[in-house]
Amino acid sequence: VSSCIPIQSKDDVYKKYKINQGKFIVSYIGTIGMAHGLEVIIEASRKLSLDNVLFLIIGEGAYKQKLKKSILKGGINNIVFLDKMSWDEIVDIQQIIDANLRHWMPDELFKTVIPSKIFESMILSKPIIMGVEGEADDIVSRANSGVKMIPGDYNSLIAAIEYLYKDKSL
């Protein structure tokens, strides 16, 4: 039975994924598809004034290679892609993550979607940057488990990151 207790130490997690300590880490964990609109991370990474923010995009999907090419072409060095992980690996890496991004493109259809990853973030006591409208956003708001962002709006993502960055107790 899997648990919410890490197996590896934080130091071992930093070493395993070759991540420098002291970074403010924002992760997206899940399917990397067109509907997820992860270009918002690329734009935010270009415009963000904080220089020690690192984005982790963890998972697989049809859009992963396209995003990787955009990052290479743009010379972006604060986004790291990691492959799909088991639950135990997610629990381990969450030790070094400061916030989890949930994001869907703005669309009426997605207002009825409830990403299961919001519950994982809540279980692991990680704040959610909520870029999903509708019922999922209501759940996160009622649970006081995150901050809202406007789906598809990189300025809104930047504002959410800066808000969480300024007050680590959140």
Side-chain angles (χ1 to χ4, degrees):
V1 174
S2 294
S3 74
C4 296
I5 300 170
I7 296 168
Q8 295 185 325
S9 71
K10 284 175 82 170
D11 287 340
D12 288 343
V13 173
Y14 281 115
K15 286 177 193 169
K16 179 178 181 177
Y17 298 107
K18 299 177 177 102
I19 296 171
N20 294 329
Q21 293 186 30
K23 296 285 186 183
F24 185 86
I25 300 175
V26 178
S27 75
Y28 171 87
I29 302 172
T31 302
I32 304 169
M34 186 170 41
H36 299 94
L38 299 183
E39 295 87 356
V40 73
I41 295 173
I42 295 170
E43 282 306 307
S45 74
R46 288 183 180 139
K47 309 287 186 192
L48 194 61
S49 62
L50 301 169
D51 61 357
N52 68 331
V53 173
L54 177 68
F55 294 94
L56 293 181
I57 301 176
I58 303 169
E60 302 300 329
Y63 226 56
K64 185 174 181 176
Q65 291 308 315
K66 181 177 181 179
L67 291 174
K68 281 180 146 183
K69 286 178 186 176
S70 293
I71 290 166
L72 286 173
K73 187 176 179 182
I76 297 167
N77 60 7
N78 62 342
I79 300 175
V80 173
F81 283 88
L82 299 173
D83 294 335
K84 184 178 177 179
M85 295 181 179
S86 70
W87 172 251
D88 289 334
E89 290 170 311
I90 288 172
V91 171
D92 283 342
I93 202 165
Q94 286 289 344
Q95 296 177 89
I96 67 168
I97 291 172
D98 295 288
N100 288 310
L101 172 65
R102 299 310 318 143
H103 190 267
W104 287 87
M105 291 299 295
D107 189 298
E108 286 298 314
L109 175 68
F110 299 138
K111 289 184 178 183
T112 61
V113 174
I114 302 175
S116 62
K117 298 290 189 234
I118 65 173
F119 302 110
E120 291 176 8
S121 293
M122 288 179 194
I123 288 168
L124 297 169
S125 299
K126 291 295 172 177
I128 302 165
I129 299 174
M130 195 61 180
V132 179
E133 297 177 319
E135 194 171 345
D137 183 44
D138 292 342
I139 291 168
V140 171
S141 292
R142 284 193 311 268
N144 196 28
S145 294
V147 295
K148 292 182 182 191
M149 69 163 280
I150 300 166
D153 184 331
Y154 71 86
N155 285 316
S156 183
L157 174 55
I158 290 170
I161 291 168
E162 289 174 345
Y163 176 74
L164 292 171
Y165 181 85
K166 288 177 185 171
D167 189 350
K168 305 267 191 314
S169 69
L170 297 171

